[in-house]
């Protein structure tokens, strides 16, 4: 009986379904797009910033900011903690995605997509932290009634993926 239980556990770690690979590929595309934009922003001269993003009526500006911490610079004075906890979070999310795709291949589609989107955004920010020690932000979003935000596509993906996951969990439409 114990051998069968161990085989199920081994199945989880080694069964990389096509669904898991597709979702990780989707996450990789999000990460790659954000990394390309960050690279373009980081190589532009300082004199190009800030500038208004076309067709946004002044609500979005292109800027360049570097954040050594989490959202809004939290824990920026502890870069190693930020880096290690970010890597751990991405690993945890990837493990959760692997679990869902392995044990529930025909269920929880929206939740899986939400997790994949979060992984893509988080991975891009983790790569910045590892390579540069800080995350490049480049979109200054100004919404009436809210504080000015400076984010990147990775941050937007983290928020959007989290919202998708939360809504799918709350309303259970993907079971």
């Amino acid at each position: 009986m114990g051998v069968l239980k161990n085989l199920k556990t081994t199945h989880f770690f080694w069964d990389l379904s096509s669904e898991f690979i597709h979702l990780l590929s989707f996450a990789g595309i999000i990460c790659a797009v954000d990394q390309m934009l960050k690279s373009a922003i980081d190589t532009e001269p300082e004199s190009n910033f800030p500038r208004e993003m076309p067709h946004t009526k002044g609500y979005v500006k292109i800027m360049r900011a570097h954040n050594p911490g989490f959202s809004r610079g939290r824990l920026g004075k502890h870069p190693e903690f930020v880096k290690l906890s970010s890597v751990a979070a991405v690993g945890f999310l990837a493990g959760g995605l692997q679990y869902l795709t392995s044990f529930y291949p025909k269920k929880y589609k929206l939740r899986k997509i939400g997790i994949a989107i979060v992984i893509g955004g988080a991975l891009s920010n983790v790569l910045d932290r590892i390579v540069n020690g800080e995350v490049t932000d480049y979109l200054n979003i100004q919404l009436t009634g809210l504080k000015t935000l400076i984010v990147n596509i990775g941050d937007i993906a983290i928020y959007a993926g989290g919202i998708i996951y939360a809504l799918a969990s709350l309303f259970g439409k993907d079971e």
Side-chain angles (χ1 to χ4, degrees):
M1 187 74 119
V3 172
L4 291 177
K5 189 175 184 181
N6 287 340
L7 284 176
K8 275 190 167 186
T9 304
T10 304
H11 166 78
F12 163 69
F13 287 110
W14 298 110
D15 181 31
L16 299 179
S17 68
S18 62
E19 181 184 30
F20 179 70
I21 300 300
H22 288 118
L23 288 167
L24 277 188
S25 298
F26 180 52
I29 290 168
I30 293 168
C31 177
V33 167
D34 192 38
Q35 285 294 302
M36 287 187 283
L37 289 170
K38 289 174 179 178
S39 177
I41 292 295
D42 279 338
T43 57
E44 282 193 46
E46 188 64 39
S47 60
N48 287 359
F49 304 106
R51 66 179 182 266
E52 191 173 311
M53 181 178 246
H55 312 294
T56 63
K57 299 179 182 177
Y59 289 111
V60 180
K61 292 184 178 163
I62 307 292
M63 299 185 77
R64 178 172 51 210
H66 294 100
N67 182 357
F70 291 121
S71 178
R72 299 188 131 335
R74 287 181 180 85
L75 295 174
K77 294 180 181 178
H78 306 283
E80 286 305 309
F81 173 77
V82 171
K83 189 183 305 182
L84 290 173
S85 59
S86 297
V87 169
V90 171
F92 177 79
L93 289 169
L97 185 60
Q98 166 61 7
Y99 175 81
L100 285 175
T101 57
S102 183
F103 288 107
Y104 302 99
K106 300 201 185 293
K107 293 177 90 176
Y108 308 122
K109 299 268 186 226
L110 285 175
R111 294 177 205 195
K112 293 173 193 173
I113 290 169
I115 292 172
I117 293 170
V118 171
I119 290 171
L123 184 58
S124 179
N125 288 342
V126 165
L127 287 173
D128 270 9
R129 287 187 179 104
I130 290 170
V131 173
N132 305 319
E134 57 192 7
V135 174
T136 299
D137 292 322
Y138 49 84
L139 295 173
N140 182 348
I141 302 171
Q142 301 171 3
L143 298 173
T144 307
L146 296 175
K147 288 185 173 183
T148 298
L149 299 172
I150 301 175
V151 297
N152 57 49
I153 297 296
D155 297 333
I156 293 168
I158 292 167
Y159 299 136
I163 290 168
I164 290 168
Y165 183 90
L167 290 175
S169 296
L170 285 172
F171 297 109
K173 296 291 184 190
D174 64 338
E175 291 186 21

